[in-house]
Amino acid sequence: GMFISFEPPVDGMPRISSRYEGLGVGFAPYLQPPGPGVVRWTVGEPGFDTPDEVIEETISALKDGETKYTRGAGSMELCQAVSDYLAKHHGIDVGAEDVVITPGAKQALLYSFLMTTMPGDEAILLAPAWASYEPMLKLIGAVPVNVPVRRDNFHPDMDAIRGAITDKTRMILINSPCNPTGAVFTPEELQEIVDIAVEHDLWIVSDEIYARLVWMDYPHVSPYALPGGGDRTLIVNGWSKSWAMTGMRLGFLTGPSNAMKSGVKSQANSASHVPTFLMRAAAVALGCDDSVEMFNSEYIKRREIMTDGLSEIPGLRVVEPEGAFYVFVDVTGTGMTDIEFADGALEAGVQLIPASLITGGAGFVRISYAADEEAIHEGLRRLKAWLLD
């Protein structure tokens, strides 16, 4: 019979916007679930269940019929809970009306990039940076400028930051505690970055998703809370990492009042709002300090097992992870590239991420110790069997 195809031939298709040309998807190729029996040290996801209280509140909100449209920036109750939370844990003073609850922290980042840059404007990233920042900036026509961090401890190189600023620079992005390096910048370093931003009239976007995961004897400090920082810092945070809620896609954006009017417009013209029935649950989660402390004590234990084990393997240079749940390991001493190392590790039954997929990451692999303890022990056994035979 005759088949009529409604699928236009590709060569007859109108051109897709060029903004997608060469646009990467970050670590995605190495995050695919591997074959059975492979130990996964890849996913930036807590190896814990979402706290019961959060699940119960979600279910009861659904049963109460909370499935209708609601306030775009999030319920006033939830925005107030975020405001209270930031004051209590991080010394950040923002009003509830200046908080926007977003579909994940990633969406909050996108809004912050739209708010601080126009096409052609430059944004400074401290490289190696999280894999999604660069393509997100490129997607909206901004120009990412990668400034390498120090190799010894992955902390900012202030002279390099100053040297990268041009008359097109509009924003500097800080992620501390950092994915992928595990660095936690000191309050003094953050103050110096704020001072640079004040001097050059730059925005700071502060990705604070790992703010509760700090293993040092100095605290996480938001640039927003530092002298000069409050007028120029947009704070991005969310529920994924500290409350094991990655799939619930809940984040928030906050910052100075005049800027947050644009944050509200960003949401109104894209996502409308996050699921109504998750709002009460998100507020409940902010009070679940017991869960956060339990998760954190596990992370500290797993961090020790992982770093001790990796340190016993010749050719690997392990810098102490200061926060988040990643170890950023220099593999150049093995004589392999990071891609060769990752491919060899996979053959040995361990999935990890080669960092040359991101600017400034060549020679390193990223390992997550959010995996359960047995997966850490087993992975270490396999790496040793592979590298020490």
Side-chain angles (χ1 to χ4, degrees):
M2 245 187 56
F3 293 98
I4 298 171
S5 164
F6 293 100
E7 185 85 20
V10 171
D11 54 6
M13 185 177 83
R15 269 220 333 259
I16 285 173
S17 138
S18 62
R19 72 176 74 243
Y20 296 93
E21 280 167 24
L23 197 69
V25 288
F27 289 149
Y30 281 84
L31 291 172
Q32 304 310 318
V38 173
V39 170
R40 299 188 78 184
W41 285 359
T42 41
V43 185
E45 177 167 71
F48 304 106
D49 291 334
T50 307
D52 287 341
E53 310 93 296
V54 175
I55 301 298
E56 282 156 23
E57 195 66 30
T58 305
I59 292 167
S60 77
L62 278 167
K63 288 185 169 160
D64 292 344
E66 298 197 9
T67 58
K68 304 281 192 272
Y69 284 132
T70 187
R71 182 172 178 267
S75 67
M76 274 317 291
E77 294 80 6
L78 177 52
C79 292
Q80 186 60 55
V82 168
S83 170
D84 295 344
Y85 172 85
L86 289 173
K88 176 181 172 184
H89 289 281
H90 302 307
I92 292 166
D93 178 20
V94 290
E97 61 290 339
D98 295 326
V99 174
V100 175
I101 310 298
T102 59
K106 207 169 190 176
Q107 192 90 348
L109 283 165
L110 186 62
Y111 297 167
S112 74
F113 296 171
L114 287 164
M115 289 161 64
T116 55
T117 66
M118 283 292 284
D121 286 347
E122 292 172 4
I124 289 179
L125 304 179
L126 302 182
W130 182 53
S132 291
Y133 299 142
E134 196 170 306
M136 285 167 84
L137 286 161
K138 288 178 176 169
L139 188 62
I140 63 169
V143 180
V145 174
N146 285 283
V147 176
V149 294
R150 290 170 43 179
R151 298 289 284 193
D152 58 341
N153 62 1
F154 312 127
H155 281 243
D157 177 339
M158 299 302 171
D159 292 336
I161 293 173
R162 287 192 180 86
I165 295 171
T166 71
D167 56 3
K168 289 204 169 102
T169 311
R170 298 286 172 270
M171 180 262 276
I172 178 164
L173 178 58
I174 295 174
N175 171 218
S176 172
C178 179
N179 172 6
T181 67
V184 180
F185 303 167
T186 66
E188 295 73 23
E189 287 169 332
L190 289 162
Q191 183 65 63
E192 190 168 349
I193 291 173
V194 169
D195 295 343
I196 292 170
V198 169
E199 183 188 342
H200 296 277
D201 198 26
L202 307 178
W203 283 102
I204 296 169
V205 172
S206 185
D207 179 353
E208 305 185 9
I209 192 73
Y210 296 102
R212 295 290 292 275
L213 288 83
V214 174
W215 320 132
M216 305 305 284
D217 53 9
Y218 54 90
H220 157 80
V221 176
S222 175
Y224 183 93
L226 292 170
D231 293 332
R232 60 186 61 255
T233 302
L234 296 175
I235 298 169
V236 172
N237 202 335
W239 281 261
S240 294
K241 309 295 180 178
S242 274
W243 293 276
M245 290 164 65
T246 47
M248 290 183 161
R249 309 312 308 132
L250 288 167
F252 64 81
L253 177 67
T254 187
S257 292
N258 55 348
M260 287 310 298
K261 293 184 179 70
S262 303
V264 169
K265 288 181 186 177
S266 303
Q267 178 110 312
N269 292 302
S270 57
S272 292
H273 60 69
V274 305
T276 307
F277 57 83
L278 287 176
M279 292 186 188
R280 271 173 26 194
V284 165
L286 293 175
C288 289
D289 279 342
D290 292 352
S291 293
V292 173
E293 276 155 34
M294 188 274 282
F295 295 166
N296 283 6
S297 64
E298 279 296 313
Y299 289 137
I300 289 169
K301 210 159 86 184
R302 294 173 189 190
R303 163 181 176 255
E304 188 176 4
I305 298 166
M306 183 68 90
T307 52
D308 286 355
L310 291 171
S311 301
E312 290 164 10
I313 301 176
L316 302 186
R317 183 174 72 92
V318 182
V319 175
E320 183 192 17
E322 297 169 342
F325 39 61
Y326 306 102
V327 197
F328 204 56
V329 181
D330 182 346
V331 299
T332 50
T334 63
M336 286 178 259
T337 68
D338 55 283
I339 301 275
E340 288 166 346
F341 187 90
D343 290 347
L346 191 57
E347 275 178 49
V350 181
Q351 188 189 42
L352 42 79
I353 292 177
S356 62
L357 297 177
I358 49 173
T359 305
F364 290 88
V365 297
R366 189 193 80 171
I367 289 171
S368 166
Y369 54 88
D372 64 69
E373 256 184 72
E374 184 41 44
I376 296 174
H377 285 298
E378 179 57 28
L380 287 167
R381 278 195 288 275
R382 292 176 185 186
L383 282 191
K384 285 175 182 169
W386 165 49
L387 291 166
L388 296 175
D389 68 4

